[in-house]
Amino acid sequence: MSQVHIVIPARMGSSRFYGKPLVKLSGREMVLRVVDRAKLTGVSSIVVATDDAAIAQCVQQAGFDAQMTDVDHPSGTDRIAQVAEARVWPDDDIVVNVQGDEPLIEPELIEEVALALSAHPDCVMSTAAHVLIDAASLLNPNIVKVVLDNQQRALYFSRAPIPFPRDAMRAAGGDGLVALPAGLPVLRHMGIYAYRVGFLKQYADLPASPLEQFESLEQLRVLANGHQISVYISPMASAPGVDEPSDVAIVENFLAQYSK
């Protein structure tokens, strides 16, 4: 398997929660808790990619690796690409993007997403999904679904109900579906990605897709340009992350349970 690196984008200027990488969760800064989880994978190359000197200082004072990146990157993927180029990582190496607001992320999930890319040499990226079992989630546009081919490569990601159970929806009267038909393969996309370094170098030059823009899903740019994404099916849903200040108490409750 190619060498694996973990890069954690940590941006100070979140519109919903300014400065959240440095918010303390049970006494420890969130960005450090994300690094703590990443280190449980055994991957030796873990870098926090940030646009803020205070975040970099926090990470480095804790004994971890941080790199300053440009402030105007349009996405975390572009920030990660800057790190990969600065570190001169070989094109065949794999970089896992671990979001800086996922302090409870399972180390096994990180490892499996990297393995999913390593096992599919025809793919430039990998990600993860888990099975959904309720109709409300299928119909919820805030929940991103993904459909796969027989080799567990992504066919499409959407906020729409995919796959669409035509007969069940017709019988239920459109959006009145209350239960999923037996065997319907509904998968919820999980926000973790791995990339080959060579593809990261090309990513910024890929033309944007109308699909990406209308669905507001960055990964559709990859599919629209003819590249393939492998998908690891996780046996469990993601642990809660921190999107806004009200999520802090929820995560702290989970941390308290972990420490028992």
Side-chain angles (χ1 to χ4, degrees), residues 8 24-25 63 65 69 89 106-107 111 130 133 144 146 155 157 184 187 195-196 201 210 212 241:
I8 303 168
K24 289 194 175 181
L25 303 173
D65 191 2
T69 55
W89 289 333
E106 292 294 336
E111 294 168 342
H130 70 85
I133 59 174
V144 178
V146 57
L155 291 170
F157 298 83
L184 186 71
L187 295 172
Y195 315 83
R196 298 190 194 280
K201 295 175 182 177
E212 168 194 4

Side-chain angles (χ1 to χ4, degrees), residues 29-128:
E29 289 84 352
M30 181 168 66
V31 67
L32 300 184
R33 289 203 174 273
V34 179
V35 177
D36 291 340
R37 300 298 286 174
K39 285 184 70 65
L40 293 175
T41 63
V43 173
S44 58
S45 179
I46 301 171
V47 184
V48 174
T50 185
D51 60 357
D52 189 272
I55 296 173
Q57 183 180 35
C58 172
V59 170
Q60 291 166 343
Q61 286 181 342
F64 302 134
D65 191 2
Q67 181 167 326
M68 294 295 297
T69 55
D70 297 343
V71 298
D72 56 354
H73 283 306
S75 71
T77 305
D78 296 285
R79 196 173 304 282
I80 290 168
Q82 182 181 352
V83 173
E85 290 207 53
R87 304 272 169 139
V88 200
W89 289 333
D91 285 355
D92 290 338
D93 279 7
I94 290 171
V95 180
V96 184
N97 174 357
V98 175
Q99 299 293 329
D101 55 6
E102 298 285 346
L104 301 174
I105 191 168
E106 292 294 336
E108 294 80 8
L109 178 62
I110 300 171
E111 294 168 342
E112 291 292 348
V113 168
L115 285 169
L117 184 52
S118 179
H120 286 83
D122 56 331
C123 296
V124 297
M125 279 177 58
S126 62
T127 188

Side-chain angles (χ1 to χ4, degrees), residues 132 135-145 157-162 175 188 214-217:
L132 284 175
S137 294
L138 174 66
L139 300 173
N140 186 344
N142 295 317
I143 292 177
V144 178
K145 280 72 65 174
F157 298 83
S158 184
R159 300 180 183 279
I162 58 170
D175 59 1
R188 178 177 187 164
F214 279 105
E215 293 255 24
S216 192
L217 296 174

Side-chain angles (χ1 to χ4, degrees), residues 181-241:
L184 186 71
V186 182
L187 295 172
R188 178 177 187 164
H189 178 232
M190 303 166 75
I192 181 171
Y193 299 98
Y195 315 83
R196 298 190 194 280
V197 169
F199 175 69
L200 273 176
K201 295 175 182 177
Q202 305 170 24
Y203 176 82
D205 295 326
L206 292 179
S209 159
L211 297 173
E212 168 194 4
Q213 294 169 338
F214 279 105
E215 293 255 24
S216 192
L217 296 174
E218 182 184 341
Q219 63 270 34
L220 290 177
R221 183 185 309 184
V222 179
L223 296 182
N225 281 279
H227 298 290
Q228 302 216 51
I229 301 173
S230 61
V231 181
Y232 163 67
I233 301 178
S234 171
M236 63 185 71
S238 300

